[in-house]
């Protein structure tokens, strides 16, 4: 706005008498613009530190939460080959995936089990399909033994297949072996800390990757695992049985001529093995998997893996609205598992009940405060502000004390003989307790905006209405009440926004039937560890609050937020 | 209002039944407590009707009669249930000595416009009573906590000894527990090391930004304001969840610094709001005058602007302090056991091992909030006075 006026003024001056000059001889227009720009920059420079601070400490976490609610890299990171192979499999086809998928799964799971990632993946998928956690855990224990079959048969051919040094000679670059030996000496002599100076990076022997591609890949991964997880070099331990299985695959695929052409270390052992492998006893991986846990023959489990293979998923959001991502799109959860809809409805219902009780209790008080003489109003205001300023936990504990079965209210009622000692009222750990305690806690947030609106309504209006013949009720209802509606609106939205996201009070006085969606979020963060679902529930709640906040801004204006009267 | 309202004496046909109704109502409570509600109603009503009749026919000095009735009620109360009865009896007596006279002399209409009908007068007092009950609802939980914190037993309710005002029923042991228990002391220490630092952060950044925001030309003012206010709008559980996820990514989860940063972020909106509100009334010609007389911007800020907006800054700081000091949801997630604050300890206490030490802490915190409230009120007055001095 200011920009526009300045430019116009400048243009005008141009027309009349040529450029108006500032004291330093530059045109007034540009010098005004310069001054304005400097002013803006100064303002921004003052705001910038705080803006950056809030961005980093607050906005970034919120964005992170939004991101987490759709993030789903764990499946494709843990089972990259399986996910790729599963691409061709049709989840609705009623047939199990083919052997290639199981082979890829073997490779992926072997590595995941070594890194102990498979349990994490299991618990992730278990949120979607119960039973998958134990399926991954069980197979994780067995998957290391699947290759024993080949290891034993290679070993029977030649003892060297059981020696780490011979394996290393076959697979590793001679330069790597030298570096490794030197690093090992240093480590054993305590000259270096393996955590600060990791073992040298593994290098494959020249040509081996072409001759035995799968073996080379598996061995490289083994070497990397030794380097990062065990702080050892590749030639310090026998390679995984995965490597033996891959060697079997490679030898089956390799041509006789290629093997014969190889002349490096272990050439004779390779040739002997190549001649022997067609006679090897074999086992299909599919059978091994199903033998270790027959859940691996369950189509639903495979469908779940396929559905949750992409890096981003709407699955958490669907769970949050009691739906489920199936192989053929979204489906509703079974009736008895629809808990979130109920929880959202309960949160809305209870927030509404709290808001309405706040209006009913707050309106008379605000009216009284606005119509009393200043001195007594200020005095009574203390009674409103004291609870407002008192620690939330103090008020919550006070309600716990009051509402308990052996608490103050029940004691008074028993003393008065209203209820018998045997049937004391149950007022806590249910919805009633939550509503009462939260009405008390949020009541000041209703009274203060109502009071500030009512103060602006001239009392003469009521008197005028009465003198024109209105009954007191008509005068109130037709004249006073409509003018106080903005206050009710402001207070209600404020109370509702605060109530909908409350955590502490429902947690303490709510029991199981009086809890809110926020308690569920907290449960998923700290107990069930389903962070994605917590983030999705939080995002939905945040969306609801932002819409309400937008409405509040429309009705009241955020600049009019007042604190403590 | 210069009109003199003459108060009309009321006839017994009005005073008697109303007093009797009040007496019956009080008698109901005393009666049920002593065994028979019906008998209580009848006795109370007759007693009050008689009392009202006596007061109206015998023209005795009102003050003496009131004291006398209070003394008699107190004595009866003492005989019935000890020292507590004495107090309750005295209160009842004082009320019932005053009530019929107040009705009979027509004083209840003294503060009301003379044209009100009887029904309107009745509604006026009913409304007052309703408001009184709501105020009672607001304040009772806080007041109840205080005497309970002196309980000699480990109960959350009044023991018979306490009701008898027996000194043995009261003790300071829960306070002792608070001051001697390592858990509570560590929690207090944590609260006292986290809150001030968080407050300092939010006040220093916040004041600077509020000054920037109140400049006449600020680009994107609305957006910036929305971002800065957002920690107050977003429900705490969502802030806590987001901070927990993000801070564990960057290694701040479970550290002192993480908790301080989180609390500072939560306190910022309060500082922004209070300080910008103070700056609205700030007279800019003062800074121009200072600059005119040769002060550089820094001097102007500290010698001219700061003293004037100081009340706003301090009350913003108090808000930020109480936000951090009171906060439990975020610290529960962002903090670890070694950042356990006072509210956190109370939260654990309420959820798991219930001990009245919580009530002692609660009482101390209520006293603290009374002190804060008083400070804020004084600051507000000072701010108004200062603004009154500045021209415009």
């Amino acid at each position: 706005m200011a920009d526009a006026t300045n430019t116009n003024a400048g243009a005008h001056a141009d027309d009349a008498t040529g450029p108006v000059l500032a004291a330093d001889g530059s045109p007034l227009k540009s010098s005004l613009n310069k001054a304005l720009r400097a002013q803006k920059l100064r303002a921004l420079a003052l705001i910038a530190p705080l803006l950056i601070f809030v961005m980093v400490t607050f906005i970034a976490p919120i964005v992170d939460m939004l991101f987490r609610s759709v993030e789903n890299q764990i499946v494709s990171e843990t089972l990259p080959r399986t996910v790729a192979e599963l691409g061709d499999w049709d989840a609705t086809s009623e047939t199990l995936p083919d052997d290639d998928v199981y082979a890829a799964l073997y490779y992926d799971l072997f590595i995941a089990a070594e890194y102990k990632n498979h349990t994490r993946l299991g618990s992730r998928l278990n949120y979607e399909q119960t039973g998958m956690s134990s399926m991954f855990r069980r197979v994780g224990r067995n998957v290391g033994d699947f290759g024993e079959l080949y290891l034993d048969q290679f070993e029977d051919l030649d003892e060297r297949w059981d020696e780490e040094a011979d394996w290393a000679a076959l697979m590793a670059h001679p330069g790597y072996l030298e570096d490794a030996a030197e690093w090992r000496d240093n480590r054993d002599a305590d000259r270096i800390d393996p955590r600060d100076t990791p073992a040298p990076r593994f290098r494959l022997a020249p040509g081996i990757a072409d001759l035995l591609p799968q073996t080379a890949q598996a061995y490289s991964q083994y070497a990397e695992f030794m380097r990062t997880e065990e702080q050892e070099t590749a030639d310090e331990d026998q390679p995984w049985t995965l490597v033996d299985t891959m060697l079997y695959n490679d030898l089956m695929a390799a041509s006789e001529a290629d093997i014969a052409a190889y002349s490096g270390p272990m050439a004779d052992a390779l040739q002997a093995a190549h001649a022997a492998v067609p006679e090897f006893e074999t086992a299909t991986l599919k059978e091994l998997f199903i033998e270790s846990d027959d859940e691996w023959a369950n189509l639903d489990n495979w469908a779940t893996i396929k559905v949750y293979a992409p890096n981003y998923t709407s699955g958490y959001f669907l769970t949050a609205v009691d739906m489920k991502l199936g192989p053929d799109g979204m489906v509703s959860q079974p009736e008895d598992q629809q808990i979130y809809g109920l929880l959202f409805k309960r949160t809305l219902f209870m927030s509404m009940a709290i808001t309405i009780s706040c209006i009913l209790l707050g309106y008379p008080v605000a009216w009284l405060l606005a119509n009393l003489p200043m001195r007594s109003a200020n005095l009574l205001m203390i009674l409103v502000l004291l609870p407002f300023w008192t620690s939330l936990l103090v008020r919550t504990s006070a309600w716990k004390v009051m509402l308990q079965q052996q608490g103050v209210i029940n004691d008074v009622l028993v003393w008065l003989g209203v209820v018998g000692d045997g049937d004391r009222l149950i007022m806590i750990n249910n919805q009633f307790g939550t509503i009462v305690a939260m009405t008390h806690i949020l009541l000041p947030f209703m009274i203060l905006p109502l009071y500030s609106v009512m103060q602006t309504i001239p009392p003469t209006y009521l008197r005028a209405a009465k003198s024109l013949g209105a009954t007191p009720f008509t005068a109130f209802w037709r004249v006073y009440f409509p003018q106080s509606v903005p206050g009710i609106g402001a207070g209600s939205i404020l109370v509702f926004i605060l109530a909908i996201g409350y955590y502490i009070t429902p947690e303490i006085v709510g029991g199981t039937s009086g809890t809110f969606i926020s308690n569920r979020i907290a449960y998923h963060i700290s107990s069930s560890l389903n962070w994605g679902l917590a983030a999705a529930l939080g995002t939905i709640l945040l969306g609801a609050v932002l819409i309400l906040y937008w409405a509040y801004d429309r009705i009241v204006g955020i600049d009019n937020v007042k604190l403590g009267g | 209002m210069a009109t003199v309202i003459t108060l009309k004496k009321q006839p017994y046909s009005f005073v008697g039944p109303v007093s009797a109704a009040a007496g019956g109502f009080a008698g109901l409570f005393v009666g049920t407590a002593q065994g028979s509600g019906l008998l209580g109603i009848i006795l109370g009503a007759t007693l009050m009707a008689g009392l009202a009749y006596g007061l109206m026919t015998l023209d005795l000095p009102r003050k003496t009669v009131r004291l006398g009735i209070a003394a008699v009620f107190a004595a009866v109360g003492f005989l019935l249930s000890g020292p507590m009865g004495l107090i309750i009896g005295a209160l009842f007596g004082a009320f019932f000595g005053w009530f019929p006279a107040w009705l009979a002399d027509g004083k209840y209409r003294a503060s009301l416009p003379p044209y009100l009908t009887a029904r309107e007068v009745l509604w006026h007092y009913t409304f007052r009573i309703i408001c009184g009950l709501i105020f009672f609802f607001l304040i009772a939980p806080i007041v109840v906590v205080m005497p309970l914190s002196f309980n000699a037993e480990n109960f959350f309710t009044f023991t018979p000894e306490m009701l008898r005002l027996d000194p043995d029923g009261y003790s300071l042991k829960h306070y002792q527990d608070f001051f001697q228990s390592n858990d509570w002391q560590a929690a207090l220490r944590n609260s006292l090391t986290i809150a001030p630092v968080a407050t300092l952060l939010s006040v220093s950044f916040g004041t600077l930004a509020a000054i920037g925001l109140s400049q006449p030309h600020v680009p994107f003012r609305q957006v910036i304001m929305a971002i800065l206010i957002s920690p107050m709008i977003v429900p705490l559980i969502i802030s806590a969840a987001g901070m927990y996820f993000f801070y564990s990514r960057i290694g701040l989860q479970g550290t002192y610094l993480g908790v301080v940063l989180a609390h500072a972020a939560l306190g910022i909106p309060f500082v922004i709001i209070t300080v910008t509100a103070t700056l609205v009334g700030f007279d800019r010609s003062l800074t121009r005058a200072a600059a005119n007389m040769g002060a550089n911007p820094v001097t102007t800020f500290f010698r001219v602007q700061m003293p004037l907006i100081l009340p706003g800054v301090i009350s913003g700081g108090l808000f930020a302090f109480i936000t951090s000091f009171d906060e439990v949801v975020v610290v529960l997630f962002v903090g670890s056991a070694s950042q356990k604050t006072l509210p956190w300890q109370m939260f654990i206490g309420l959820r798991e091992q219930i001990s009245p030490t919580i009530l002692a802490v609660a009482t101390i915190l209520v006293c603290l909030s009374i002190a804060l409230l008083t400070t804020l009120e004084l600051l507000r007055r000072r701010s108004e006075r200062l603004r009154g001095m500045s021209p415009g």
Side-chain angles (χ1 to χ4, degrees):
Chain A
M1 271 312 262
D3 261 323
T5 15
N6 280 339
T7 335
N8 285 345
H12 218 73
D14 278 346
D15 294 342
T17 54
V20 177
L21 299 183
D24 61 352
S26 59
L28 182 62
K29 188 172 130 187
S30 68
S31 111
L32 274 176
N33 278 340
K34 213 160 82 189
L36 190 68
R37 215 168 28 245
Q39 230 175 12
K40 281 185 180 173
L41 274 180
R42 200 169 52 233
L44 278 185
L46 284 170
I47 301 169
L50 182 70
L51 199 61
I52 294 168
F53 183 82
V54 173
M55 283 291 192
V56 173
T57 56
F58 189 79
I59 302 293
I62 299 291
V63 173
D64 184 40
M65 186 195 74
L66 300 182
F67 180 65
R68 243 179 228 274
S69 64
V70 291
E71 183 189 37
N72 187 45
Q73 273 97 339
I74 183 166
V75 181
S76 57
E77 268 170 15
T78 319
L79 306 174
R81 293 167 194 82
T82 319
V83 165
E85 287 288 338
L86 267 180
D88 304 329
W89 179 65
D90 181 7
T92 53
S93 68
E94 302 285 324
T95 51
L96 279 179
D98 54 23
D99 288 335
D100 288 349
V101 174
Y102 280 95
L105 180 70
Y106 169 63
Y107 196 107
D108 287 336
L109 262 184
F110 193 100
I111 291 168
E114 288 294 337
Y115 281 95
K116 310 225 177 337
N117 282 339
H118 64 296
T119 46
R120 262 181 57 223
L121 177 65
S123 5
R124 162 70 188 94
L125 289 173
N126 202 54
Y127 300 140
E128 314 300 341
Q129 174 86 23
T130 13
M132 290 191 76
S133 174
S134 65
M135 163 176 133
F136 273 96
R137 226 176 318 115
R138 204 165 296 157
V139 85
R141 279 198 299 268
N142 295 338
V143 75
D145 305 334
F146 288 0
E148 294 278 344
L149 180 68
Y150 300 108
L151 172 63
D152 290 346
Q153 296 180 72
F154 280 123
E155 208 183 281
D156 290 343
L157 278 179
D158 192 328
E159 281 295 325
R160 279 179 293 172
W161 288 121
D162 202 20
E163 294 297 325
E164 53 266 25
D166 294 311
W167 263 109
L170 171 67
M171 304 304 297
H173 196 277
Y176 167 77
L177 290 176
E178 280 167 28
D179 293 348
E182 186 190 337
W183 180 83
R184 234 175 10 248
D185 284 346
N186 283 334
R187 182 197 62 193
D188 293 344
D190 282 333
R191 278 193 292 273
I192 53 168
D193 183 350
R195 268 176 295 267
D196 298 335
T197 325
R201 219 165 254 292
F202 180 73
R203 277 173 292 159
L204 278 170
I208 201 78
D210 297 325
L211 184 68
L212 306 169
Q214 293 187 43
T215 320
Q217 197 190 11
Y219 194 87
S220 304
Q221 251 161 351
Y222 154 76
E224 183 60 20
F225 174 80
M226 291 291 278
R227 189 174 93 92
T228 54
E229 305 295 310
E230 306 278 336
Q231 276 95 34
E232 289 182 359
T233 55
D235 49 352
E236 282 189 84
D237 202 353
Q238 270 187 322
W240 295 334
T241 53
L242 174 72
V243 180
D244 297 295
T245 315
M246 292 303 128
L247 180 64
Y248 170 78
N249 290 347
D250 278 337
L251 287 176
M252 287 296 281
S255 68
E256 176 129 32
D258 285 345
I259 299 292
Y262 175 73
S263 59
M266 299 277 286
D268 51 336
L270 261 185
Q271 279 158 20
H274 185 255
V277 280
E279 309 300 323
F280 268 20
E281 187 193 332
T282 61
T284 64
L285 285 162
K286 192 172 182 170
E287 277 159 19
L288 286 171
F289 268 102
I290 295 173
E291 198 180 303
S292 104
D293 190 333
D294 52 15
E295 283 293 310
W296 284 107
N298 186 342
L299 278 170
D300 289 344
N301 292 340
W302 279 106
T304 310
I305 295 180
K306 187 175 162 83
V307 165
Y308 286 93
N311 282 342
Y312 297 95
T313 177
S314 57
Y316 291 123
F317 276 103
L318 290 175
T319 313
V321 294
D322 283 333
M323 310 230 331
K324 201 175 159 177
L325 207 54
D328 21 70
M330 301 176 253
V331 285
S332 287
Q333 294 270 21
E335 283 292 323
D336 58 327
Q337 287 174 23
Q338 300 192 353
I339 50 170
Y340 296 105
L342 182 76
L343 215 51
F344 272 114
K345 261 185 262 165
R346 187 201 286 162
T347 306
L348 286 182
F349 163 75
M350 287 180 56
S351 305
M352 223 118 81
I354 291 161
T355 311
I356 291 170
S357 11
C358 278
I359 296 175
L360 291 181
L361 295 183
Y363 200 91
V365 169
W367 196 87
L368 186 72
L369 288 175
N371 287 287
L372 277 180
M374 204 58 183
R375 274 182 68 90
S376 20
N378 275 345
L379 217 65
L380 284 179
M381 199 57 160
I382 292 176
L383 296 185
V384 178
L385 289 181
L386 184 61
F388 181 75
W389 274 100
T390 307
S391 164
L392 169 69
L393 276 157
V394 171
R395 286 181 283 166
T396 309
S397 36
W399 279 108
K400 186 145 183 155
V401 169
M402 303 267 288
L403 295 174
Q404 277 184 70
Q405 277 205 290
Q406 303 297 327
V408 174
I409 293 183
N410 263 316
D411 276 357
V412 170
L413 290 178
V414 169
W415 181 69
L416 287 176
V418 180
V419 295
D421 201 12
D423 39 41
R424 285 164 174 257
L425 303 178
I426 299 167
M427 292 182 289
I428 203 169
N429 294 338
N430 54 20
Q431 301 201 353
F432 179 80
T434 310
I435 291 177
V436 170
M438 284 185 59
T439 303
H440 176 253
I441 287 166
L442 296 177
L443 193 51
F445 290 97
M446 178 64 83
I447 295 178
L448 295 174
L450 263 178
Y451 171 66
S452 63
V453 167
M454 284 180 178
Q455 259 188 327
T456 63
I457 305 175
T460 44
Y461 287 9
L462 260 186
R463 263 181 257 153
K466 278 188 200 161
S467 76
L468 289 171
T471 62
F473 178 76
T474 318
F476 167 76
W477 186 246
R478 302 273 301 275
V479 176
Y480 195 88
F481 184 77
Q483 296 184 80
S484 65
V485 165
I488 299 183
S492 303
I493 294 184
L494 196 59
V495 168
F496 195 84
I497 289 181
L498 288 169
I500 206 174
Y502 240 62
Y503 167 65
I504 293 296
T505 310
E507 181 76 20
I508 289 174
V509 299
T512 47
S513 68
T515 48
F516 282 15
I517 198 74
S518 39
N519 302 85
R520 198 74 194 168
I521 297 177
Y523 163 78
H524 280 308
I525 294 175
S526 49
S527 303
S528 86
L529 303 181
N530 192 350
W531 289 6
L533 183 55
L537 289 170
T539 306
I540 295 175
L541 184 60
L542 181 65
V545 168
L546 286 184
I547 291 172
L548 286 170
Y549 168 62
W550 175 79
Y552 184 85
D553 192 29
R554 271 298 165 90
I555 298 174
V556 196
I558 185 63
D559 288 347
N560 293 335
V561 179
K562 288 214 183 81
L563 299 168
Chain B
M1 278 211 276
T3 44
V4 178
I5 303 161
T6 46
L7 299 174
K8 206 169 63 185
K9 293 263 182 198
Q10 301 291 327
Y12 184 70
S13 58
F14 166 69
V15 179
V18 175
S19 306
F25 186 68
L28 173 69
F29 287 105
V30 179
T32 39
Q34 301 294 334
S36 161
L38 193 65
L39 195 68
I41 296 178
I42 296 168
L43 276 181
T46 353
L47 187 66
M48 280 315 295
L51 206 62
Y53 187 74
L55 272 169
M56 285 179 74
T57 44
L58 311 170
D59 197 21
L60 295 169
R62 295 270 191 245
K63 272 231 168 88
T64 335
V65 172
R66 248 178 97 177
L67 278 177
I69 292 174
V72 172
F73 269 71
V76 174
F78 185 75
L79 289 177
L80 277 175
S81 50
M84 201 64 184
L86 180 90
I87 294 176
I88 293 177
L91 289 174
F92 267 55
F95 177 75
F96 284 116
W98 160 82
F99 186 64
W102 182 65
L103 287 175
D105 295 351
K107 275 196 193 139
Y108 63 96
R109 295 196 80 132
S111 62
L112 298 176
Y115 52 78
L116 291 189
T117 60
R119 269 176 65 187
E120 282 170 22
V121 173
L122 179 66
W123 167 244
H124 176 84
Y125 283 104
T126 320
F127 184 76
R128 288 285 165 97
I129 291 172
I130 293 173
C131 287
L133 288 177
I134 298 171
F135 279 118
F136 180 74
F137 170 74
L138 270 171
I139 215 76
I142 298 171
V143 174
V144 162
V145 163
M146 296 189 180
L148 276 182
S149 68
F150 296 100
N151 198 337
E153 304 289 330
N154 279 336
F155 294 143
F156 262 165
T157 187
F158 290 99
T159 54
E161 290 83 23
M162 294 182 85
L163 292 177
R164 263 188 270 123
L165 294 182
D166 188 343
D168 290 345
Y170 295 84
S171 83
L172 286 172
K173 72 177 206 182
H174 303 307
Y175 289 87
Q176 231 167 23
D177 193 28
F178 171 66
F179 285 109
Q180 284 169 359
S181 139
N182 283 333
D183 279 355
W184 284 105
Q185 285 306 302
L188 180 66
R189 243 192 330 274
N190 277 331
S191 276
L192 288 179
T193 47
I194 290 169
V197 182
T199 309
L200 195 72
L201 273 178
S202 33
V203 167
S204 45
F205 282 132
T207 309
L208 219 60
I211 292 171
L213 278 170
S214 60
Q215 305 275 325
H217 305 290
V218 183
F220 315 113
R221 191 170 186 280
Q222 287 288 323
V223 182
I224 293 176
M225 199 68 180
I227 291 176
L228 297 185
I229 301 289
S230 61
M232 196 173 80
I233 308 296
V234 174
L236 277 175
I237 186 74
I238 295 178
S239 315
M243 285 171 171
Y244 177 69
F245 297 147
F246 185 69
Y247 286 10
S248 24
R249 262 189 224 265
I250 59 176
L252 278 177
Q253 201 272 330
T255 63
Y256 169 75
L257 184 68
V259 177
V260 166
L261 289 181
H263 277 183
L266 293 181
I268 278 167
F270 298 99
V271 179
I272 292 280
I273 288 174
T274 46
V275 179
T276 39
T278 324
L279 281 166
V280 166
F282 181 75
D283 185 1
R284 286 197 174 277
S285 52
L286 291 177
T287 50
R288 258 175 264 142
N292 216 1
M293 289 185 244
N296 62 33
V298 178
T299 318
T300 314
F301 176 73
F302 280 109
R303 300 282 298 276
V304 179
Q305 202 166 10
M306 197 60 188
L308 282 168
I309 63 168
L310 196 61
V313 174
I314 294 179
S315 61
L318 282 180
F319 270 106
F321 181 83
I322 204 81
T323 310
S324 166
F325 198 75
D326 227 18
E327 207 290 320
V328 51
V329 186
V330 168
V331 75
L332 212 56
F333 286 99
V334 174
S336 64
S338 53
Q339 281 91 42
K340 199 178 279 178
T341 58
L342 214 48
W344 186 348
Q345 183 71 27
M346 287 180 82
F347 182 65
I348 296 175
L350 281 172
R351 245 193 352 186
E352 288 147 26
Q353 26 96 312
I354 293 190
S355 112
T357 311
I358 292 170
L359 300 185
V361 182
T363 309
I364 294 173
L365 288 183
V366 170
C367 296
L368 189 78
S369 47
I370 292 175
L372 272 177
L373 188 61
T374 322
T375 319
L376 268 182
E377 182 61 22
L378 292 178
L379 279 174
R380 199 177 58 85
R381 295 212 177 140
R382 185 184 140 82
S383 161
E384 267 167 19
R385 218 174 45 239
L386 279 177
R387 266 196 246 171
M389 267 160 52
S390 68

